[in-house]
């Protein structure tokens, strides 16, 4: 996507990969690197990467607001209908590490998805890992997973277990992710 814009208003950001929260002041030039999973990844003038949530797309300009709206409309449509385990996988395919333009499923970060009936719906458990154990953005990715799974029709509870055994390595990536990221 790489597009240069000037931030129109002060906007909350999260540093990548540190996970720190800060405010980017109005007038700051940034280069939008990607819009995946409902958030924008931007490079700041110092060369650092930050995540800007879709709800703050207005700070980037009208075309970004429209892009965020299209994404939210698609998510709303996907959250309709009866419970289906494939919809959990679809929801997980919308979760991205903001540094990597492949979703967590294609990266091989999801080890297990299980669903069991509970009163009023289903409880879903996701067992996953990260590409690096010390990733500062890890808690954000785990929270994204939980929110996405809870948005699936018929899901009443979601548990996300983060594990580092077995450790992740590039062999877990799908062929598509390997190609996209230059591993093939």
């Amino acid at each position: 996507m790489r597009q240069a814009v000037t931030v129109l208003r002060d906007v909350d950001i999260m540093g990548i990969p540190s996970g720190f929260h800060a405010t980017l002041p109005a007038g700051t030039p940034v280069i939008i690197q990607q819009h995946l999973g409902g958030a924008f990844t931007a490079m700041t003038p110092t060369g650092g990467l930050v995540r800007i949530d879709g709800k703050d797309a207005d700070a980037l300009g009208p075309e970004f607001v429209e892009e965020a709206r299209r994404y939210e409309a698609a998510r709303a449509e996907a959250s309709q209908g009866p419970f289906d385990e494939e919809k959990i996988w679809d929801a997980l395919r919308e979760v991205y590490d903001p540094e990597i333009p492949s979703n967590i499923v294609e990266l091989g970060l999801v080890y297990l998805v299980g669903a069991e009936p509970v009163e009023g719906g289903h409880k879903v458990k996701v067992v996953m890992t990260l590409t690096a154990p010390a990733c500062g953005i890890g808690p954000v990715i785990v929270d994204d997973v939980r929110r996405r799974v809870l948005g699936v029709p018929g899901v009443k509870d979601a548990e996300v277990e983060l594990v580092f055994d077995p450790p992740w390595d590039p062999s877990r990536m799908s062929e598509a992710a390997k190609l996209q990221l230059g591993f093939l």
Side-chain angles (χ1 to χ4, degrees):
M1 164 175 246
R2 302 201 199 308
Q3 182 176 350
V5 299
T6 299
V7 176
L8 301 174
R9 66 167 173 81
D10 290 0
V11 64
D12 293 329
I13 59 166
M14 181 184 340
I16 302 168
S18 67
F20 75 87
H21 291 272
T23 301
L24 196 62
T28 303
V30 297
I31 299 174
I32 305 300
Q33 303 290 309
Q34 63 186 26
H35 174 229
L36 298 168
F40 299 91
T41 298
M43 183 179 296
T44 66
T46 61
L49 291 177
V50 297
R51 173 177 157 157
I52 301 170
D53 286 338
K55 67 177 177 53
D56 291 317
D58 65 302
L60 302 173
E63 67 193 82
F64 296 97
V65 171
E66 185 54 37
E67 197 167 327
R69 281 189 187 139
R70 280 193 303 271
Y71 175 79
E72 287 304 319
R75 281 196 64 223
E77 185 177 322
S79 69
Q80 303 301 312
F83 175 80
D84 179 351
E85 195 167 322
E86 186 56 36
K87 288 184 179 183
I88 296 168
W89 285 100
D90 291 342
L92 294 173
R93 287 182 187 96
E94 293 182 1
V95 178
Y96 290 82
D97 179 320
E99 291 181 288
I100 306 172
S102 267
N103 67 62
I104 64 170
V105 173
E106 295 295 324
L107 287 172
L109 300 179
V110 179
Y111 291 167
L112 173 83
V113 173
E116 65 180 57
V118 295
E119 186 175 330
H122 290 81
K123 177 180 180 179
V124 173
K125 181 175 183 178
V126 177
V127 178
M128 63 171 291
T129 194
L130 301 171
T131 57
C135 178
I137 205 100
V140 175
I141 295 171
V142 168
D143 186 56
D144 284 351
V145 167
R146 185 175 292 108
R147 284 186 300 108
R148 294 291 199 271
V149 170
L150 285 171
V152 172
V155 174
K156 298 299 176 196
D157 190 19
E159 175 188 347
V160 181
E161 182 180 353
L162 190 58
V163 299
F164 296 103
D165 187 28
W168 179 87
D169 67 73
S171 69
R172 295 184 176 278
M173 292 190 298
S174 70
E175 294 297 313
K178 287 178 184 176
L179 183 63
Q180 182 179 23
L181 299 175
F183 282 81
L184 290 180

